[in-house]
Amino acid sequence: MKILVVGGGGREHALAWGLSRSGTVDRLFAAPGNAGIAEIATLVPVSAGDVDGLVDFAQQEAIDLTVVGPEAPLVAGLADEMQARGMAVFGPTRDAARLEGSKAWARELCERHGIPSPRSRTFTRIEPALAYLEELGDPPFVVKADGLAAGKGVTVAEDRDTAARALEDCLVHGLFGEAGQSVLVEEFVEGKEVSAMALTDGRTVVPLALAQDYKRAEDGDRGPNTGGMGAYSPLGFVDDDAESKIAAEILGATARALADEGVRYVGVLYAGLMLTAGGPTVLEFNCRLGDPETQVVIPRLRSNLAEVLLACVEGRLAEQELQWAPEACVGVVAASAGYPGRVQSGKNIAGLESVRELDGVEVFHAGTAARDGRVLTAGGRVLTVAAVGSDLDAARERAYEACARIEFDGMTYRRDIAAGAARTVR
Ligand code: GLY
């Protein structure tokens, strides 16, 4: 089988790594990939946003399956274009990808189908949005740009003034352009965050192992929001009952809601959840795998990833039963100084060879580039060190041992990924 992976982050490296171990993959391509992916796949100099370029490449190379990592090409219609040319693609169509592409549409879907979600309303004018803050009562509030805003469109406002400024940024100053022309104002819900991802072929829904992601830049959940600074799996604090509820009342119910509305959804259904005292509630949906959650979930998957993804595309997911390793996995993201703000690239990354000597550790590259036999930084999130171990403590220890062997100018990473999580294992 010839597979094309679209994207060039840590998630796509983990996907390519999982696919390369499938045994049924003869050729693996990645567009555009990164220095780590280049070790296991042929890089294609086409960006993930170049829909025409990707479709042309897949057709010329007679790719059997295209696996799309990021959301932007899905929201832009990559799956539609590929399907129109008769090609197999893992990822939802533009219509289905509205689940992530429009937070307002996703909220309305939840409301129509009774899927638990926070109180929320969507506004295009500032005055009624400010009035709704009064109606919600006491802060905090959550203000979200409706469309894709490169992970920067959500503000958790501790007070009314901050919420008002976030609304002004979108609705008056046009900070996020079209993506911020509609804004959601929501109640803040408390609890523990869980990344619940599932594969679906539009009929069958198969949940993946649950993971938890660390979104803030600094230890102790301080600092700005990021794309994710680390993750771990499994989650000891989610008991069987809660896991079944998530599978049935969130993931299954969402797939059914989409089907009932005539939307065929093939790919990853990712619900960012808050486990509240009253049960799980949906903070947001994504139409693709999480990053860095993928980097800790794929190493635990024992099933043949290529076969599973192909079964999804061919509507045969019901035939698949996923097998998971009992081991835990902890992933620590190493970022460039300044991330999530401006960063400097081109720094030499040392120690990658030394990490290869460690059992159970994979380094999934994100912002890296190869030059003259060296690996250099090329972005904010540079790599994820993912380590498996007999339990979360063992995995954590290995991950941090590996981090200590890696060095680049300005390297920064959180020291508290999965700290204390081992104590909550069932
Ligand atoms: N780690 C969060 C996300 O992938 O959206």
Side-chain angles (χ1 to χ4, degrees):
M1 189 170 9
K2 271 188 184 177
I3 298 191
L4 167 66
V5 174
V6 175
R11 166 184 49 212
E12 288 77 26
H13 191 182
L15 273 169
W17 177 83
L19 291 165
S20 72
R21 294 156 63 93
S22 289
T24 44
V25 179
D26 308 305
R27 293 286 315 270
L28 191 55
F29 297 90
N34 58 38
I37 299 176
E39 293 182 14
I40 51 175
T42 303
L43 300 194
V44 183
V46 177
S47 83
D50 180 358
V51 169
D52 290 340
L54 292 166
V55 175
D56 287 345
F57 174 80
Q59 193 153 43
Q60 276 155 24
E61 274 297 330
I63 294 291
D64 297 301
L65 175 65
T66 298
V67 178
V68 187
E71 63 280 10
L74 295 167
V75 172
L78 176 59
D80 308 63
E81 296 298 323
M82 290 202 156
Q83 285 173 10
R85 293 212 215 164
M87 292 186 274
V89 54
F90 178 80
T93 57
R94 186 194 337 242
D95 221 23
R98 273 184 299 171
L99 203 58
E100 178 164 1
S102 170
K103 293 182 175 68
W105 187 82
R107 275 286 176 260
E108 286 157 17
L109 184 84
C110 288
E111 277 163 25
R112 284 196 294 276
H113 295 269
I115 297 163
S117 50
R119 278 193 297 160
S120 169
R121 273 178 56 191
T122 304
F123 300 92
T124 52
R125 290 190 312 113
I126 192 151
E127 294 81 9
L130 292 172
Y132 186 61
L133 292 176
E134 299 301 324
E135 198 180 318
L136 280 178
D138 291 330
F141 307 108
V142 183
V143 177
K144 298 177 172 176
D146 175 37
L148 296 185
K152 299 192 176 96
V154 177
T155 303
V156 177
E158 297 296 338
D159 52 57
R160 240 167 261 280
D161 285 350
T162 309
R165 271 199 305 277
L167 285 165
E168 268 173 32
D169 281 346
C170 290
L171 297 175
V172 180
H173 306 307
L175 184 63
F176 300 114
E178 208 181 314
Q181 280 176 1
S182 294
V183 180
L184 291 79
V185 179
E186 304 195 341
E187 68 173 332
F188 177 83
V189 287
E190 296 211 48
K192 283 191 156 169
E193 275 193 61
V194 170
S195 298
M197 303 183 285
L199 305 178
T200 178
D201 61 5
R203 284 188 292 268
T204 304
V205 179
V206 176
L208 301 176
L210 295 174
Q212 192 176 47
D213 168 34
Y214 290 70
K215 293 209 171 62
R216 299 294 194 99
E218 295 161 23
D219 286 2
D221 289 330
R222 287 175 292 113
N225 258 327
T226 70
M229 293 300 289
Y232 69 92
S233 175
L235 305 184
F237 62 85
V238 183
D239 63 22
D240 289 342
D241 194 40
E243 193 161 353
S244 306
K245 252 191 164 149
I246 291 169
E249 294 174 17
I250 307 280
L251 298 169
T254 305
R256 224 175 15 257
L258 289 161
D260 284 353
E261 299 207 358
V263 179
R264 180 160 187 255
Y265 191 105
V266 174
V268 173
L269 197 55
Y270 164 166
L273 302 177
M274 191 64 89
L275 278 195
T276 71
T281 190
V282 177
L283 298 182
E284 63 177 20
F285 284 112
N286 296 313
C287 64
R288 39 77 193 174
L289 287 162
D291 185 345
E293 293 94 320
T294 306
Q295 292 92 304
V296 298
V297 167
I298 297 286
R300 298 189 58 226
L301 181 67
R302 283 195 173 153
S303 310
N304 181 321
L305 181 62
E307 290 303 322
V308 170
L309 299 186
L310 190 64
C312 237
V313 173
E314 294 178 348
R316 299 183 285 103
L317 192 58
E319 295 168 10
Q320 301 282 328
E321 201 186 326
L322 297 190
Q323 306 293 330
W324 296 99
E327 284 85 13
C329 189
V330 172
V332 179
V333 171
S336 300
Y339 175 75
R342 287 169 75 89
V343 301
Q344 285 187 355
S345 289
K347 309 288 184 190
N348 187 60
I349 306 174
L352 294 171
E353 283 307 320
S354 157
V355 171
R356 286 187 210 269
E357 293 161 10
L358 297 175
D359 282 339
V361 178
E362 292 298 328
V363 176
F364 295 122
H365 292 222
T368 67
R371 198 176 311 146
D372 304 329
R374 293 183 306 150
V375 179
L376 307 179
T377 64
R381 287 194 293 178
V382 173
L383 46 86
T384 305
V385 173
V388 290
S390 54
D391 58 23
L392 285 169
D393 272 343
R396 185 168 189 276
E397 199 171 309
R398 271 186 178 160
Y400 280 107
E401 187 187 343
C403 285
R405 293 186 183 203
I406 297 173
E407 218 181 317
F408 54 84
D409 187 21
M411 174 174 166
T412 149
Y413 58 92
R414 279 183 63 158
R415 305 300 203 266
D416 62 348
I417 305 301
R423 284 194 293 280
T424 62
V425 169
R426 294 178 252 160

